[in-house]
Amino acid sequence: MKLLVTGGTGYIGSHTCVALMDQGYSLIILDNFSNSKSSVLENLRKLNDNFIFYNIDVTDKKAVEQVFSKHEIDGVIHFAGYKSVEESVVEPLKYYLNNVVSTMILVKVCKKYNVNKFVFSSSATVYGENKVPFKEEMELLPTTNPYGETKAMSERILMDVAKADPNFSVSILRYFNPVGAHESGLIGENTKGIPNNIMPYISKVAKGELDKLKIYGNDYPTPDGTGVRDYIHVMDLAEGHVAAYKHLSKGVHIYNLGTGKGTSVLELVQAFEKANGMKVPYEIVERRPGDIAVCYADVSKAEKELGWKAKRNLIDMCRDAWRFESSI
Ligand code: NAD
Ligand code: UFG
C-alpha cells in the first residue's frame, strides 16, 4: 500500500509517517520545509526508511501531478498547511492561499488519477465557542481567526466533492492539542523562534532558554481559573490516522482526535514538573485575545467507529516532550 503524505516532515506528519511505516505502508512524502527542517528526514530514516521524499510545494499543481504520474498512489493524508493562529490574523491571504488552495489542488489531482481515499487534518478550532464536550455533529461556529476559517472551508470543500462523487472516501480529523514526541526522542515539535503553544514554551523554560512561562489568565470559569485543553500525545494522534485510513469508507466521516479529558494550564505545569523532576517558573499575565476558556472532545465516535482510543497519559506527554527538547 502506497500513501502520499503532504507535510510529512512537520510535527504531526512526521510522527504519523512513522506510525504508518510501522504498519507496513510505503510512503511518498511531500514537503517544502516552510515550517520544518530537512534534518527530520535523517531521523525519520533511522526509525524506518520505507519512504521517498519530494521537496515540493503542494500548491504547485504541475509538480504534484508529476508525483502522481510517477507512482501508483492508493490514498492521501494531507497535513501540509500553515498553523499559526496569530500569524493568520496579520497575513490572512497567506493562510487562505496555502491552506485552502493546497487542499483544492490535491483533491483535483486525486480525482484526475482516480485516487479516492483522502484524510484531512482539521482542528478543534472549528467548534468555536460551542459547549464542551465538542461533538462531531455540532453546528460549527465562526472561528475568531483566518486559520480556523481555512479549516472550516477545506472541510466544506471536501464535503461538496464527496457529495458530487460517490466514489470519494474522506476522513476529516479534528485534532485537539497535540503535544509530546516520539518515544525515541528522534523526532518532535521543533518550533522556529519563540513558541506560541504551551508545551514547547514550557520545555524551553525548563531548558533555561526562556525565563518563565506566561500563563494567559487565571480568571476563566474553570476550577483553577486557567484555560482547559484536551492534550493528546502526538503518537496517539499518529495512530489515530492509521485507524482512520484503514476505516475509510465512501462519503465524508468526521472524527475528533483527543483524549476527552480537560487539563488546566496549572495542571499541565505540575505534570511536567512531576514527570521530569524540574521546576517551571511561571507568572500569571493577561488573557490572550481569542482564547476560549475550555476545549475538550467527545471521543466516543472515534472509539466506536475506528476502534481507536488515546492510550498515553499526561506524564507520558510531558516526559516525551522533554526528552526531545533536551536532545536538540
Ligand atoms: P507543522 O507546521 O509542523 O507541519 C506542517 C508541514 O507542512 C511543515 O513541514 C511545512 O513545511 C509543510 N507545508 C506547509 N505548507 C506547505 C506546502 N504548500 N507545500 C508543502 N509543504 C507545506 O504543523 P503540524 O503541527 O504538524 O500540523 C499539521 C496539520 O495539522 C496542519 O494542517 C495543521 O493546521 C493541523 N493542526 C495542527 C494542530 C497543532 O496543534 N499542531 C492542531 C490542529 C490542526
Ligand atoms: N497558554 C499559556 N501560555 C503560553 C501558551 C499558551 O498560558 O505561553 C495557554 C493558553 O491560554 C491555552 C493553553 O495554554 O489556555 C493552550 O494554548 P496553546 O497555544 O498551546 O493551544 P490552543 O488551544 O490555543 O490552540 C491549539 C493550536 C490551534 C488549534 C487548537 C485546537 O495552536 O492551532 O489548539 O484546539 F486550533
Side-chain angles (χ1 to χ4, degrees):
M1 288 293 274
K2 194 165 269 181
L3 302 193
L4 181 109
V5 181
T6 74
T9 57
Y11 175 45
I12 305 168
S14 58
H15 291 79
T16 304
C17 285
V18 175
L20 288 164
M21 291 188 287
D22 285 350
Q23 290 283 308
Y25 291 93
S26 82
L27 305 181
I28 295 155
I29 301 177
L30 309 190
D31 207 297
N32 64 356
F33 299 125
S34 54
N35 196 36
S36 56
K37 292 185 179 145
S38 55
S39 57
V40 171
L41 291 171
E42 289 155 39
N43 286 341
L44 262 183
R45 274 200 190 94
K46 287 181 197 159
L47 293 165
N48 199 319
D49 65 356
N50 193 10
F51 68 88
I52 299 172
F53 176 78
Y54 290 96
N55 183 342
I56 277 178
D57 187 323
V58 184
T59 62
D60 180 347
K61 184 160 169 269
K62 246 192 178 156
V64 174
E65 278 211 49
Q66 272 174 8
V67 175
F68 275 70
S69 67
K70 262 196 218 144
H71 302 276
E72 196 70 37
I73 294 167
D74 295 301
V76 169
I77 304 190
H78 179 35
F79 292 101
Y82 298 142
K83 64 166 176 177
S84 161
V85 169
E86 227 175 352
E87 188 187 43
S88 78
V89 176
V90 184
E91 292 196 71
L93 273 176
K94 177 176 169 179
Y95 276 70
Y96 287 111
L97 274 169
N98 198 39
N99 294 7
V100 182
V101 172
S102 64
T103 306
M104 290 198 286
I105 283 178
L106 260 179
V107 173
K108 182 127 176 92
V109 178
C110 277
K111 286 178 69 69
K112 180 166 174 189
Y113 286 84
N114 206 22
V115 175
N116 288 313
K117 293 177 163 190
F118 200 92
V119 176
F120 177 66
S121 296
S122 189
S123 165
T125 193
V126 298
Y127 290 110
E129 296 203 60
N130 264 296
K131 259 183 79 180
V132 286
F134 297 153
K135 291 183 200 296
E136 290 85 348
E137 66 272 18
M138 279 174 164
E139 193 192 329
L140 301 188
L141 296 180
T143 59
T144 50
N145 59 79
Y147 165 72
E149 291 305 316
T150 68
K151 292 296 175 190
M153 273 183 197
S154 298
E155 286 197 6
R156 188 73 250 162
I157 291 166
L158 290 168
M159 285 178 205
D160 288 344
V161 172
K163 211 185 278 170
D165 177 356
N167 285 322
F168 206 47
S169 300
V170 182
S171 193
I172 291 175
L173 305 179
R174 294 181 180 153
Y175 312 152
F176 282 70
N177 288 58
V179 295
H182 188 264
E183 288 81 357
S184 64
L186 283 170
I187 53 171
E189 187 169 17
N190 206 343
T191 41
K192 291 182 176 167
I194 296 181
N196 285 315
N197 294 118
I198 188 140
M199 189 63 102
Y201 205 106
I202 290 178
S203 304
K204 295 218 180 287
V205 171
K207 208 173 174 181
E209 280 180 17
L210 294 168
D211 237 19
K212 52 178 114 155
L213 172 70
K214 294 188 186 73
I215 295 184
Y216 298 133
N218 65 351
D219 56 353
Y220 283 105
T222 61
D224 64 22
T226 64
V228 167
R229 295 291 182 274
D230 185 341
Y231 298 99
I232 172 169
H233 195 294
V234 68
M235 284 311 297
D236 278 325
L237 189 64
E239 288 159 13
H241 288 73
V242 179
Y245 187 79
K246 285 185 175 164
H247 285 82
L248 273 170
S249 62
K250 300 213 159 80
V252 175
H253 304 274
I254 303 179
Y255 299 101
N256 286 337
L257 297 185
T259 62
K261 286 187 211 94
T263 300
S264 75
V265 176
L266 283 174
E267 284 168 337
L268 185 66
V269 170
Q270 279 157 14
F272 189 94
E273 292 183 336
K274 186 172 163 208
N276 300 309
M278 53 208 318
K279 275 278 169 221
V280 178
Y282 66 82
E283 63 178 330
I284 309 287
V285 300
E286 289 290 288
R287 288 184 182 192
R288 181 171 65 177
D291 273 355
I292 56 174
V294 185
C295 170
Y296 61 89
D298 179 316
V299 289
S300 52
K301 187 176 175 198
E303 193 177 343
K304 191 165 151 230
E305 295 185 15
L306 305 179
W308 168 89
K309 198 179 173 194
K311 298 188 295 240
R312 297 158 179 92
N313 64 27
L314 207 56
I315 295 290
D316 300 325
M317 300 179 210
C318 294
R319 187 200 53 226
D320 293 340
W322 174 242
R323 185 186 294 119
F324 176 72
E325 184 63 40
S326 54
S327 77
I328 55 173

